[in-house]
Amino acid sequence: MKKTISVLLLLCMFVSLFSAMAFAADETQSEAEPYVTDETTDVQLAAAVDDTQESDVKSVFNSRFYVEANDDAGLKSRVVVLFDLIGTNGTLYLPGKVDVSKLRFAWDNATLTVSRDGETFVSGAAPVAPAGESVTYKVTKGLAVAYVKVKTVQGSADVEPMFLELDESLGTIDAMNGDKEHETSCYGKAVLGKVDKYISIKGRGNSTWDFPKKPYNITFYEASDFNNKDKAQLIPGVKAKKWSLLANHLDNSLLRNKVAMDLANELGIGLPSRFVDVWMNGEYLGNYLLTPKKDYQAPDGGFMLDNDHIPQDADQFQIKGMHDMLLKHNRINIEDIGDDAAELGVDQAYIENYFNEAFAALTKYDSEDYQNYFDIDSWAKMFLMVEVSKTYDCYAGNFLMHRDGLTENDKLIAGPAWDYDISFGRTLHKFLVGVSEPVQLNAEGWYNDSVGLFAVDKPVSLLQELGKHASFMTCVAKVYNENKAYFEDIPSNVDRQQALLRDSALMNNELWGTHHLGADYLVAPVTMHLLGTGKYALNYQVTVNWDAYVANLREFAAKRVMWLSDHLYAEAPVGSIVKKTMPDGSVQLEAVLTAGNTSNTYQWQRSDDGVTWANIGLATTAKYTPKADTLGDVQYRCVVTNAGAEITTMHGGTVPTYAQTILAPATDSVQMAEAELEAGTLTLVLNGTDVGAYTFAEYEGGWSIQNADGKYLKPVGRVLSLTDQPFAWELQDGVFVSHPTIAVTMLGKLFTLGRTQNIYLNVVAGGVAVSSESGAAVSFLSQVTE
């Protein structure tokens, strides 16, 4: 009896407390009749309450409120109201496209009386509050009274809901969520858009599984017997049998995995992904990132590996010759072996032997033999993924690779890129295993170099070992320059994802909050003001606001990409090949550049079929004169390389970056000879825009170009400008030339000091092309016949 009294005292206290709260929230609501008065003693309560009344109280607090599936409202599954621990304040979480006005509350206890403002509702008829608002109902049974307040929260219209409808007679959700080994599954159906298929679902993840918002793996099946697996298309153009739901619980922005995987996908080493809002048996779980399971690319003829640090009893081996750090990050997990490869005898022993051969070749820094084992293009992309994100998992932990066949040409391919929720300025303390916190947080510096502060005897990282080869770092620079636009788009992608996800992110945080990370996971943003120098300094906001968390992510991404571009970029040459007819009748080919024309090297090539090209000996300048008898039978092109910044790292020495362009084969455009030049009227086209008619005339032994307002075209520094004074362009071998002085410093401008640059006007049949060897803006002049 004493226990019953205690329970009733607690319940009655809740009723009294929240009755007052509800009344304050809704003045039109009549005050509830108290279940007990303030003067009621334990003895009086014990005498006043019988078993029936106790049952009435429990009925009120244990009843479940929900909204049914409603096709007319766009709701495909039942959604349950989630109440607080007391049970009188609840939240209804709804998909973004649902028409809330068409929804009604229902409850699972027909003996309850639910009313508001004197009106009593039957189950399925009580109106739902609009998004962002609350509605309070008086719930009674017998002498038990409670005021139930339910707030409506709605996600983003562009984020689809995913409903997981599980049959707990085949396995309970509690059992699945309580299994750290992820061996317990639940079974049912998944509904996402037009997909409505049978599934099994179980937990996934290591450290992320320890948090209340759980990540999951889902497998699709053809039928309810769950025997034959089936592919499901959950992302346009992507079909897979196995999918993962990433909780992103360690990332308050929810965006880091998405922006990283988008970049990796653009580079060709990633997985497609999309955001979804997830409900499991009607209960809202939060916002998740949906992606094919990370090993879905494991080929039939090869195998998938994972460089990890988590000990496993089987399917794992250590890399011979690698340093053992605190957590032994030199483990290789065998994620999957393809069926065809297994039939040919590929097993753990085969893979371990092959991998250790590859690693041994990698540690021979004076040899290029490592390229027989590693696909350096994909590994260069993975190197850059780690650099740009400064991910916590910088050398082990969901670091994937695969080999797609067993021939000599089949190499270890890096990817798919995976697990970036602790990156881009969000970090864990990792000093004891080789990376200090300031290094992780700073937007400057080479990150792969920082691994292994205490490892002086042996290698510590596959990427760091690759970076000790100059040929690999040259590939890193090449890959960056070829994909620079994708890297520099990261801050803009943060903006796009923020706009898409905002309401769903706020709904997720309504449930999970943004204070859920322990001290070991949180670095006070105010410390970020101490990190970085000059234009790379970070300006973080101290906040618990979602939009500000996103702003901090954008800040790190922008400054980090800026640093990489400054240290890796070489401007790709832009231009074309001009075929000139010289005054003596000979033909000359010239690579005329309009951008990226600083410190270039040239290599002319020839081809008889337009497919196979060969270098032409000694043809290494911008101009090349082919033999007369080859014209018409041989195609020519020019490979132009622009040497840029030098990469200086502790492991790679000094390696120049470069960007390369292959200028298209020469066309039949023939340059006018000097004797053919005549005064006339031109139409000036600047960067593709027609800016009017100009007069082309001789002036002081050269030629001037004047517009209708009497202004003359003249190079000023690296750009073209209009002046009041006539300007003479020199004519040299059919090319107009000017030699302006470029002052690159303030002192140079004050004292008229600088470098002399050549600005060219190349007269081509049908037009005049303007270019600068210094990479100036490009303009074009098109001749008009009179």
Side-chain angles (χ1 to χ4, degrees), residues 114-427:
V114 177
S115 62
R116 185 174 188 271
D117 298 336
E119 181 179 1
T120 300
F121 301 93
V122 298
S123 177
V128 173
E133 300 182 19
S134 301
V135 61
T136 301
Y137 287 99
K138 179 181 179 182
V139 182
T140 61
K141 182 181 179 183
L143 296 177
V145 179
Y147 283 90
V148 175
K149 182 178 181 181
V150 181
K151 179 181 179 180
T152 302
V153 180
Q154 197 165 14
S156 305
D158 292 328
V159 177
E160 278 199 276
M162 185 175 193
F163 296 105
L164 305 174
E165 301 168 351
L166 307 181
D167 182 356
E168 292 199 80
S169 68
L170 303 177
T172 67
I173 295 172
D174 286 344
M176 173 180 65
N177 287 343
D179 182 5
K180 289 187 175 182
E181 302 301 321
H182 309 320
E183 295 176 352
T184 303
S185 297
C186 287
Y187 298 86
K189 298 187 77 174
V191 179
L192 175 63
K194 295 181 180 180
V195 175
D196 187 343
K197 286 180 172 290
Y198 293 98
I199 63 165
S200 65
I201 180 172
K202 60 183 179 181
R204 65 160 307 277
N206 296 308
S207 59
T208 53
W209 183 252
D210 294 330
F211 292 87
K213 184 184 177 186
K214 305 294 185 185
Y216 298 97
N217 283 332
I218 300 174
T219 302
F220 284 81
Y221 295 88
E222 292 180 350
S224 59
D225 58 9
F226 304 102
N227 287 325
N228 298 319
K229 296 176 183 178
D230 189 24
K231 290 184 178 181
Q233 182 171 292
L234 305 184
I235 295 176
V238 181
K239 292 183 178 181
K241 297 176 182 178
K242 298 179 180 181
W243 294 78
S244 294
L245 286 169
L246 307 184
N248 291 323
H249 197 62
L250 299 181
D251 175 14
N252 283 325
S253 78
L254 301 177
L255 297 180
R256 284 175 169 82
N257 264 321
K258 177 61 176 172
V259 297
M261 293 174 75
D262 282 354
L263 173 62
N265 212 29
E266 294 284 5
L267 296 178
I269 61 167
L271 296 173
S273 61
R274 64 178 293 192
F275 287 113
V276 291
D277 292 325
V278 179
W279 284 259
M280 182 180 288
N281 282 10
E283 294 191 9
Y284 174 65
L285 299 188
N287 179 264
Y288 285 76
L289 189 66
L290 175 69
T291 182
K293 192 169 181 292
K294 63 184 180 181
D295 61 0
Y296 92 109
Q297 290 182 329
D300 290 337
F303 46 83
M304 174 76 69
L305 305 178
D306 184 0
N307 182 192
D308 205 352
H309 66 273
I310 304 297
Q312 292 184 2
D313 295 331
D315 298 332
Q316 186 181 78
F317 60 89
Q318 292 191 16
I319 305 172
K320 290 182 179 179
M322 182 174 277
H323 179 84
D324 283 345
M325 284 192 175
L326 182 64
L327 297 177
K328 292 186 182 296
H329 287 68
N330 63 341
R331 293 183 172 93
I332 295 292
N333 299 333
I334 301 175
E335 292 284 308
D336 188 37
I337 298 176
D339 294 338
D340 295 343
E343 290 180 3
L344 294 174
V346 174
D347 55 12
Q348 179 168 337
Y350 173 93
I351 294 173
E352 184 172 354
N353 180 67
Y354 176 83
F355 188 89
N356 282 313
E357 278 185 14
F359 185 73
L362 188 58
T363 58
K364 296 176 182 177
Y365 311 124
D366 58 351
S367 170
E368 297 297 300
D369 187 43
Y370 79 99
Q371 295 192 43
N372 295 325
Y373 296 93
F374 292 89
D375 174 72
I376 63 171
D377 184 73
S378 65
W379 285 93
K381 292 172 181 177
M382 187 64 74
F383 187 97
L384 287 167
M385 286 295 303
V386 170
E387 283 293 344
V388 72
S389 66
K390 289 199 169 184
T391 174
Y392 168 79
D393 294 304
C394 53
Y395 53 102
N398 287 322
F399 198 89
L400 296 159
M401 65 200 84
H402 54 98
R403 189 181 180 204
D404 294 351
L406 306 177
T407 71
E408 291 183 357
N409 294 326
D410 290 306
K411 303 174 184 180
L412 284 170
I413 300 171
W418 184 261
D419 200 6
Y420 287 83
D421 56 338
I422 307 174
S423 64
F424 290 107
R426 164 67 78 194
T427 185

Side-chain angles (χ1 to χ4, degrees), residues 65-134:
F65 280 67
Y66 56 91
V67 294
E68 290 284 9
N70 187 320
D71 289 339
D72 192 36
L75 183 63
K76 294 185 177 182
S77 184
R78 185 177 77 155
V79 174
V80 175
V81 176
L82 299 184
F83 283 98
D84 57 20
L85 293 176
I86 298 172
T88 56
N89 283 283
T91 306
L92 177 65
Y93 298 94
L94 293 173
K97 288 187 177 179
V98 168
D99 186 347
V100 180
S101 67
K102 296 180 180 179
L103 299 179
R104 296 293 182 267
F105 284 120
W107 43 91
D108 58 6
N109 189 336
T111 65
L112 298 181
T113 299
V114 177
S115 62
R116 185 174 188 271
D117 298 336
E119 181 179 1
T120 300
F121 301 93
V122 298
S123 177
V128 173
E133 300 182 19
S134 301

